[in-house]
């Protein structure tokens, strides 16, 4: 059995298809959903990315603890229902993860919204949790974050899925090449690298837990 730590928790979800190429969908998310997240106890931050060309919206909400994440689920369910109706998209998730490490630099080190940060590459390294130690995963995330073209990493451990993930964001064409050239996190990992097509919808970097 995988033991989960008391640290921050992330809830990840995806929308695919529908009208995600329409900027009005991202506008609606920023206007209707994001301001209603902040008052929730234990809220730490949010990252939402959109690839309009491929009609993919990826979102992560960060929470101080598993209890805080659980307390927000009723709002998450209503928000996802509203977004599906607005964009006619398919909803995937949500998946809940322990946050093992987070490092955002450059343009993503501060709050950003809509077109302020664009042309990002999303790389995902996924490993079975029994094959890779969390410490090895966080070391790999730190190595990625040291690359000049990398502007952010998240190291995650699944709560429901027996999986470890490093999500990393890279800048532009040079970032796409650097992300593709970097070896997999470990032999057991599968790696996917998008083109430089993701734009930030909204990013509120994870703040440290209160106290």
């Amino acid at each position: 059995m995988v033991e989960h730590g008391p640290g921050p928790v992330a809830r990840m979800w995806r929308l695919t298809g529908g009208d995600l190429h329409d900027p009005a969908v991202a506008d609606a998310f920023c206007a209707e959903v994001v301001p209603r997240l902040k008052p929730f106890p234990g809220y730490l931050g949010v990252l939402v990315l959109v690839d309009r060309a491929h009609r993919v919206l990826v979102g992560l909400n960060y929470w101080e603890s598993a209890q805080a994440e659980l307390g927000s689920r009723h709002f998450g369910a209503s928000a996802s229902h509203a977004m599906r109706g607005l964009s006619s998209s398919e909803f995937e998730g949500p998946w809940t993860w322990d946050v093992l490490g987070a490092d955002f630099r450059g343009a993503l080190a501060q709050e950003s919204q809509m077109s302020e940060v664009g042309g990002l590459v999303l790389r995902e390294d996924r490993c079975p949790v029994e094959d890779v130690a969390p410490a090895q995963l966080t070391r790999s995330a730190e190595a990625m974050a040291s690359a000049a073209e990398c502007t952010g990493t998240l190291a995650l451990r699944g709560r429901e899925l027996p999986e470890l993930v490093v999500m990393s964001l890279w800048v532009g064409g040079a970032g796409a090449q650097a992300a593709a050239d970097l070896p997999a996190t470990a032999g057991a990992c599968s790696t996917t690298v998008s083109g430089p097509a993701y734009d930030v919808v909204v990013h509120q970097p994870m703040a440290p837990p209160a106290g």
Side-chain angles (χ1 to χ4, degrees), residues 9-40:
V9 170
R11 185 168 59 238
M12 185 193 305
W13 47 270
R14 280 187 172 88
L15 290 172
T16 57
D19 302 328
L20 294 178
H21 61 295
D22 185 348
V25 176
D27 283 335
F29 186 88
C30 287
E32 302 298 330
V33 177
V34 174
R36 296 171 62 191
L37 283 169
K38 282 190 172 182
F40 274 92

Side-chain angles (χ1 to χ4, degrees), residues 21-179:
H21 61 295
D22 185 348
V25 176
D27 283 335
F29 186 88
C30 287
E32 302 298 330
V33 177
V34 174
R36 296 171 62 191
L37 283 169
K38 282 190 172 182
F40 274 92
Y43 170 79
L44 293 180
V46 62
L47 171 65
V48 181
L49 306 168
V50 64
D51 178 346
R52 291 192 176 93
H54 298 95
R55 302 187 187 191
V56 179
L57 190 76
V58 179
L60 293 106
N61 303 330
Y62 309 121
W63 302 93
E64 190 175 271
S65 64
Q67 290 74 22
E69 186 271 328
L70 186 63
S72 72
R73 286 189 183 184
H74 66 285
F75 172 70
S78 63
S80 66
H81 180 76
M83 290 298 293
R84 286 199 302 272
L86 178 67
S87 64
S88 303
S89 298
E90 295 294 323
F91 183 76
E92 301 173 15
W95 305 281
T96 306
W97 307 80
D98 291 310
V99 179
L100 303 178
D103 183 6
F104 290 100
R105 299 181 291 109
L108 291 183
Q110 60 237 342
E111 289 198 12
S112 53
Q113 183 167 307
M114 303 305 291
S115 60
E116 294 173 354
V117 183
L120 296 174
V121 176
L122 177 61
R123 170 175 163 144
E124 290 186 292
D125 289 79
R126 294 178 174 266
C127 316
V129 73
E130 65 271 15
D131 291 345
V132 178
Q136 183 181 358
L137 188 83
T138 53
R139 286 195 298 271
S140 295
E142 290 166 0
M144 290 183 189
S146 67
E149 299 87 355
C150 185
T151 192
T153 61
L154 277 169
L156 307 170
R157 175 177 53 194
R159 283 187 157 253
E160 297 91 0
L161 301 172
E163 200 169 39
L164 296 166
V165 175
V166 173
M167 296 182 66
S168 54
L169 291 165
W170 305 72
V171 180
Q177 190 62 55

